[in-house]
Amino acid sequence: MTSLAHQLKRLALPQNDPSLLSRKDVASLLFDPKEAASIDRDTFFALGCTGLEELLGIESAFEEFQETLFSQASKGLERSVQTKEVNQKLDASISLFLTRLSPYFLLKPAQKCIEWLIHRFHIHQYNQDSLIACSLPYHETKVFVRVIQLLKIKDPTHRWNWLQCLQKPGVPLARGTLITHCYKDLGFMDFICSLVTKSVKAYSHSGENCPQLRVIFSFYASTIIPALDAVEKVTDALVAKLLPYVQKGLKSSLVDYKAATYMIVCQLAVKVVMESHLVDTLALQISKSVVKTPTLPREGLGSLIVLLQNQKAESISEKAFGYLSAIPTLVPTLKDIASVYDIGPLLRCLLPHLVRFVVTDKGRFLMSGTTILFIFRYFCQDVHCKFLPALVNCDSVLPSRARYCRDLGDDQLWRVFVQPLPLSRYPGALDVVLEGHVSDISNKEEQNLFHQFISLSLSSGKYKIIPESDTTLLLGLNHPLPSVRNLALEHLKEILRTGQAGFDEDFLREAVLERLRDDVPEVVLAALKAMQVMKFLSAEDMVSSLLSLFQRTDVSKAGNWFPVLKEAMRVLDNTHLLEEIPTLRNRVVTELLPFLVITCPYENLPEYQVASCVARSSLISQHPLTQGWSQALEDVMARTCPSDVMGVANQQLISTMTKNLLGMEASSKRSCVSNLKHTRQAGCLSFLGLRGRTSETWWNPEKLDNTTCCYLRLLIRLFEMTIAGASQGPLAPGFRALMRLLFQVHLSELPELFGFLSLLWGYGWSQSDQLDHRVGAVLQTQALYVGRALLSSQNGKNLKLLTSATSPVVPSLLMCLGSPVREVRRAAVAALQELGGADASPFHLVTKKLLQETEELITDPSHVSQAIAGKGKAQDKKMIASVDQLLGCVQSPDCPSYTARALLQLLREVNGEAVLEVLLPAMERLLDQSGPDGPTFLKDEALLLQFLLTKYNEQSAPLLARHKGSLECFIRATGTLLEPFPGMPSFQLVALEQITKPFFAALGDEKVQQRLLAVMFDLLVDCKNPVCAQTINGVFKSITVDGELVAAEFGPVDRPKVSGSVHQTRRSKMLKAQDSASGPPDGISAVPWQRVTLILELLQHKKKLKRPQKLVPTLFSLLSRSLEPVQDDVTNLEYTKQLILSCLLNVCYKLSPDGALISKDVLEEEKFNVELVVQCLRGSGMPQTHHHALLLLGTMARIFPEKVLHNIMPIFTFMGANVMRLDDAYSFQVISKTVQMVIPALIKLPGRTESMETVVIRVVHVFVDALPHVPEHRRRPVLAGLMTTLGAGHFLWVLLLLLFKQHAMQATSADAGETALQRDVEFWISVCCEFEVPEQLLSLFKILKYLSRLPEDKEDGENSTDAGVNDVALPTDMHSGKELRHYKFLSLSFLSQLLASDGFVGKVVLPFIHLCCLHGLLVLLEEILCYINSVARCVEANANKPTAKFWRAMLNKSYDVLDKVIALLPTDTFITVMRGLMANKLPSVRRKAMELLNNKLQQKTVWNNDQVCVLLNLTKDLLSIVSRGQHEDDEEEEEQAINRQTALYSLKLLCRSFGASHQEAFVPVLHGAMELVTSPHEDRNVMGSALLCIAEVTSALKALAVPQLPRLMPAVLQTLKERKELFSNKVYLLSAVTALQRVSETLPHFISPYLKDILDLMLHLFTRLYS
């Protein structure tokens, strides 16, 4: 729409809406628009008044509208003619009424009132905003949608255009849509907010309690709050739009309005960060509103808390504090809220004001003393410790408080100001606050005041000054100087010893324990002495703190800590509580066991002194596990040289513990061992005595017995303990010694050591976990670094042994290169680098190549596979041999399955025939194991077998052709149904998934491909697992298969023998039935139908099929077999037939995608058995089979049209008798496709034009015959599709003639026949209108041509010239003459009705008529004229026969057709055509042309100048007709007289239309007419017409007619004198008088010479007529 149009639309007034003047549809809320149009105004007024009276019973506020909107005067008020002031007042009154009506909108009385306002005041046009505001709170109801449907909001610029989408479907407005539009359109948000304020104003008379507006407030809150929540970013504009309404809500006295506003404030606070002044303003207004509305204290304070919490406000104004202080229920309300929610944000802002008001004089005047005391005491009792900084650091509070308290003498105020401080509850927080505050004080006076405040306020001794250090106890304990901390601890010890009061036990306990964690030994020693005096320290805390000293102290590096540990051991040894708590005693012993290990052989060093001290303690010497160790240690030290002390002493310790352990009872032994497991070093010492051996090269837990596995598990745990302890901590040297001892005792041989390490390197991949111990990445990394250290110290001979083909070292290290953990790969690379010099190793080339890419190996775990495979580069034979060694490890029975799996994962890119051949033994071994009699399958073995099966790939596929074992192994795998573990696919599925398109193509040998196809099909037949069937389906769909291979799976081909004729077909079926009854058929019948069906189902969606034509003979054989009757076969083969037909159709599509002919080299035509498909079509009773057969025949018609032609009629006859009767979309689609494919192929068939036309006509005949049985709504599409395919220009006329024949042959009663005729004609017209106008015109032309060739009657049948068409349309030798005449009249009547139908005329009458349409009209016009001529002759020939009436009716109908054709012509063409027709040889045609011209001239047609010129030229042609007749034959004279009269009438009309503006052109007309009048022998009727023409021309020519008066007047007067003829022909008399009258009126000044004669004649005429 242009900008000018928008402006005009805005300027348009509602009263100018044309709908207001229309009574067809009237806007209404309660009634249908058409129903409302029939209701008068009084009824609407009564309806509205009734609604108002009902509302008055609910709400008296509507009373004032009785005298305005609902008064008697309003019935006659038309607002469109009122002044602007009156309309403004009316709008205000309507707005107020609708606002008050909104709460009652859903009630019927309210809707009645709205109905009256819509009808009388058109509020749906003038007051749209008010009407929507009234109904918007109910947007989810149908009534709201009805209101929206009344509005005209199509204009995109209209404010409510966004609601237009609701009008047509009539669905309510979704809440989400409303909310989205609310935050996107701020104008709409303002509309909702103003709706509330208007409602409040409208009900202002109701006081503070206004329940009517609850629905408005609920809608307000439920819309604005979700809109704020949904908007992504709250803009300043949105906040600015809401704030005025928020302020109004806070100031309102309505409780519900204020509650809604509180909720909106909370949502704003959560959603947007406000400026501080706005927060202060809102806080002040909320505080003020809570005071003014005491009924909502909880809600108001809650919204204030949310506001302060989300805006991070630090304070509020004094005014807000004053309002809050004035709330009577402030403290109980806050206490109630605090029980559920955090009120900290509000208290944080209130506390400084409270303190300041209490300690200043202002507080005494602003608030009552009782309120102050109560509030302050409550806050001080319940406030959380985070408010202490605000209390202590409040500006000028502490000095004032100190002075104030010092001067006070009132005990009550002392209790108020000093006692309520929550010091005992939050001592830690208070300490932090006071320390921070004292560090900020620099003034001496302030320091003194602070200390006085502490002394007055804090009743705790920890803040008192210690005389010796001039600081408080708390500060002294945390002083940076150790000496000060020592003094504080001595003071603390004295306090504990004397039991001084005023000290918190928690403080004392924490102080001592904290100093035990000091880093100065002297301070810790002092803390130990203080702890011994402490009586309230629990045994567990004491033991934990003492043991922590042993754990964190390394005396080998800090010998000055030995006195501390000695004192700690003394305290533990003398603790009597340990005797009462056995579990605690056992814990102490367990924790001290590692310190019994001798790590230093010299008695004067702290390390040995600690071990000796622990050994001599009563805890150790008396424990059952370690008793006797102290004496044994003294003996060892006495008789052993220092160099051997460590080994001998530790061995003696193991012996002592083992001896004690063996001597225990079973329960004690079990408990002791359980405790030792949690102590690493002691456990190591205990287990070092265990010995075991495994002689295998590979330490394979999968093949070891249970005892050996237990030994390995203990060995791994022992290694894990020692390696963890040796890496860090104070006991690391001891653990390193234990590590050496471990290797000496258990792993003394080099193969055993690296066999164990290889186990640790690779056991992390194990899924079965036979050892029941997981090796994590940390232990794996540690073992790798240990292995690296050991490999670096080996000589060449040992390296050669370790890197041999039978050693697990290199494969295990390679496994680690594929670890997902980066540090494991880094450690593996480091260990592998130590093997770089082992040139004799069979793995040397692999390791050498890998060591060239160490950075890549560490960075990417998948790089090792690429590196081994060579990244696509050709590898030399030595490298291949090195990789084969790895493959040999994989297939070795000794190699653990998890190791083999990990190696295969590394070698995933190494493929080929040789690789598969090497791995075949392992695969066969695992397949044997997976059998029903095999041992239990491990998870690692299952995964390994899956990896092995993946080696059947494109590279290794040729091996299956030359190595029979590989093929058999693969086939065996496809038959293995075992699912080894839940969630793991079966080996069958894994093997089937290996059959990919490249793999199948790489097989090469067709026999192998055939074997695999047979295996898959066999599996599919026997398969009961849907996953397996789906996998086979996917595999078959993905591979490219030769059609001959698939055909072979159906069995040998049995060529069907189908006879050419139907009788021969039936005879052959009978013979086959006899043969099948005598014995089973050979060949293809041996294949079960189940297998055939499954293969056919796979072929349905098969795209990758080579040489699909090889399937054709086999498929036709299968189709023939399915048609054979077998007595003992109860299988329903209809589905199989459908599959066969569908496969044949797919083959046709593949061979000829575009429908072109197929070369004989590709497929011979004889192999396509069309007769068999037709036989299947006719012999089946299933619609689906019919559909498939018809689609196949349609496709075959395009490829082999010659073969389909011989069976075309059986096909379409069957289709008309069966398929067309079905009322489903698929059947209709099948019919359409069959027609579209079969018929064009037949039409294009060369050399068969005549016979083809006959066949096509017969096909159309089939469709017409079947039409009564076709569902009505399918008839027109079926025929339209048929004609579109055939070509409407060629065969539409045939269809129409056949339809006429079908109707003409029906014998029905008169009434039923009339109804049926009307129904059929409408249907025929609708079919014709499916096509373009030229095609319809051509069809009408051919129909007329056909009708003209039909004989006149039954006995004239020999005159027919088109027997072929007659035979199809209406064979005259089979029907009576009456039926023939009915047929003709029906055809002609249809032509007339079609030419006048809306559908046809609508296509013709366009702004610019196409040239071909015009040509078609002219051709049709010519033909109808010829036909009229023919009918006219028949009228004359049968004038005296009983058929005369019929032929006259035919002539009239022909003229009717002519009228309809001419009416369609453009004006220019019409004139040209009429001129040509007036020169026609036939008088009747000339007369008809002039009559049509007269009709056109009598219409109020607007002629342009060119058309007028052409029309004026017609006067010559008309005059030529008028001038004819004087010398004509007698037999034509009467008709010529009629034509001349018509021509004179045409001249008269032309003169009437154009004579005034073109006078000169009609002077010849006057001359010609005068010639007729003056002629003595002229026909009187013609002369009468001439007189009338003279009258009209004279009236038009005026002065130009004066020269003709001397001839004209005598002639007219002479006419009047011939009284005999005059009175015998009244028309003649009237014409003469009319002419004299018009001449006298036109030229009154020029008739004086003839005046006497005129009067004389008139008097005589009057006298004669009167008498």
Side-chain angles (χ1 to χ4, degrees), residues 821-841:
V821 182
R822 186 188 185 98
E823 291 305 318
V824 173
R825 298 196 300 274
R826 190 189 306 276
V829 168
L832 202 60
Q833 287 174 339
E834 302 300 331
L835 301 178
D839 299 340
S841 170

Side-chain angles (χ1 to χ4, degrees), residues 596-598 615 625-640 644-661 685-686 688-689 738 741:
L596 296 178
V597 179
I598 304 301
L625 182 64
T626 56
Q627 62 182 358
W629 164 239
S630 59
Q631 184 62 40
L633 178 61
E634 292 178 359
D635 296 341
V636 169
M637 295 301 296
R639 56 184 173 80
T640 307
D644 299 331
V645 163
M646 289 178 58
V648 175
N650 289 326
Q651 185 63 41
Q652 185 62 38
L653 176 60
I654 294 171
S655 301
T656 302
M657 294 175 64
T658 305
K659 178 182 177 182
N660 293 335
L661 191 63
L685 291 172
S686 301
L688 279 175
L738 290 177
L741 187 60

Side-chain angles (χ1 to χ4, degrees), residues 1494-1506:
N1494 295 341
N1495 291 335
K1496 195 76 170 180
L1497 290 172
Q1498 287 176 329
Q1499 298 173 2
K1500 295 181 180 180
T1501 307
V1502 180
W1503 308 91
N1504 58 39
N1505 294 332
D1506 295 336

Side-chain angles (χ1 to χ4, degrees), residues 392-393 429-441 450 475:
V392 176
N393 294 322
L430 184 61
D431 293 344
V432 174
V433 172
L434 293 179
E435 287 179 9
H437 189 76
V438 75
S439 62
D440 297 334
I441 300 177
F450 179 72
L475 298 178

Side-chain angles (χ1 to χ4, degrees), residues 1533 1574-1580 1583:
E1533 183 177 354
T1574 57
S1575 175
H1577 305 292
E1578 190 59 66
D1579 182 78
R1580 296 308 173 192
M1583 189 176 291

Side-chain angles (χ1 to χ4, degrees), residues 1345-1407:
K1345 204 80 171 175
Y1346 173 76
L1347 291 176
S1348 64
R1349 290 198 296 267
L1350 286 177
E1352 291 184 14
D1353 211 338
K1354 166 75 173 176
E1355 58 272 11
D1356 300 330
E1358 61 274 4
N1359 298 329
S1360 176
T1361 58
D1362 193 355
V1365 177
N1366 284 339
D1367 289 342
V1368 175
L1370 189 67
T1372 55
D1373 58 345
M1374 295 177 63
H1375 301 281
S1376 64
K1378 181 180 179 180
E1379 291 175 339
L1380 179 61
R1381 291 191 295 273
H1382 186 193
Y1383 179 75
K1384 290 181 180 180
F1385 187 79
L1386 179 64
S1387 303
L1388 207 57
S1389 300
F1390 170 74
L1391 266 62
S1392 175
Q1393 295 187 48
L1394 174 63
L1395 291 171
S1397 65
D1398 294 337
F1400 182 83
V1401 175
K1403 289 187 174 183
V1404 175
V1405 183
L1406 297 173

Side-chain angles (χ1 to χ4, degrees), residues 1305-1324:
M1305 298 300 104
Q1306 293 175 352
T1308 56
S1309 62
D1311 296 337
E1314 193 67 29
T1315 305
L1317 176 62
Q1318 182 179 359
R1319 182 181 64 251
D1320 289 349
V1321 169
E1322 291 178 356
F1323 171 70
W1324 301 338

Side-chain angles (χ1 to χ4, degrees), residues 1445-1511:
K1445 184 178 179 180
F1446 164 74
W1447 287 111
R1448 286 196 298 272
M1450 286 288 290
L1451 184 61
N1452 292 334
K1453 190 62 69 175
S1454 301
Y1455 280 130
D1456 191 22
V1457 174
L1458 178 63
D1459 292 344
K1460 302 295 174 49
V1461 174
I1462 292 176
L1464 295 172
L1465 294 173
T1467 303
D1468 296 334
T1469 309
F1470 170 79
I1471 299 170
T1472 306
V1473 170
M1474 291 304 103
R1475 188 169 188 176
L1477 292 178
M1478 283 189 287
N1480 195 280
K1481 295 179 181 181
L1482 294 174
S1484 59
V1485 174
R1486 294 198 297 271
R1487 183 172 68 253
K1488 188 64 179 178
M1490 290 185 287
E1491 289 175 354
L1492 293 172
L1493 177 62
N1494 295 341
N1495 291 335
K1496 195 76 170 180
L1497 290 172
Q1498 287 176 329
Q1499 298 173 2
K1500 295 181 180 180
T1501 307
V1502 180
W1503 308 91
N1504 58 39
N1505 294 332
D1506 295 336
Q1507 293 170 351
V1508 172
C1509 293
V1510 177
L1511 286 171

